[in-house]
Amino acid sequence: MKPVIAIGAALLSILALATAGPAAAQSREVVNLGKTEFEFHCTVCHGVSGKGDGEMAAVLATKPADLTRLAAQNNGRFPFWRVYAVIGGEASVKGHEPFEMPGFWRRFRHEEGTTSLMPAELRILVLTHYVESLQSQ
């Protein structure tokens, strides 16, 4: 490699690391917010790890999905907006019928303006980002 190219590549690497810091911290914060929502609303069925092994899994008519495999089941790409739509009640998926999976998004909407919680769309968004973060586990 020519010295100029090597120096340029090194500078690009340093610049990428320097600018990734705040974005990485912000991403961690978003994922942590989603984890809090997940722990409160989702673990009872999907389990702490998201593998579908929560406390209620054994008594449900449809076994909860292994949320850690969504990307693998979609040619390696996490179906971000599909997951967002499912959590938001805009798309259906087997096992999320009203009698099985509560419409948490309805609760999120109801709580808007009455609590210090984030608006419903943001709660759904951070949950989606958290589920996306489970893909590498």
Side-chain angles (χ1 to χ4, degrees), residues 22-90:
Q26 186 178 30
S27 293
R28 279 192 303 277
E29 180 64 24
V30 167
V31 169
N32 286 338
L33 288 169
K35 181 178 182 183
T36 299
E37 293 285 352
F38 187 86
E39 288 172 345
F40 191 75
H41 298 289
C42 310
T43 57
V44 69
C45 295
H46 289 284
V48 173
S49 65
K51 294 184 182 283
D53 57 355
E55 297 171 27
M56 293 296 295
V59 298
L60 294 173
T62 303
K63 182 177 176 1
D66 179 347
L67 300 176
T68 68
R69 307 257 321 125
L70 297 176
Q73 296 165 347
N74 193 47
N75 298 319
R77 295 194 61 197
F78 181 71
F80 189 90
W81 293 111
R82 168 82 175 137
V83 172
Y84 180 91
V86 168
I87 294 171
E90 296 174 7

Side-chain angles (χ1 to χ4, degrees), residues 79-112:
F80 189 90
W81 293 111
R82 168 82 175 137
V83 172
Y84 180 91
V86 168
I87 294 171
E90 296 174 7
S92 62
V93 65
K94 188 170 174 55
H96 282 202
E97 291 82 9
F99 63 90
E100 288 193 4
M101 181 181 168
F104 291 115
W105 60 274
R106 284 189 191 98
R107 183 178 305 161
F108 293 167
R109 289 242 188 271
H110 177 73
E111 292 172 343
E112 280 184 330

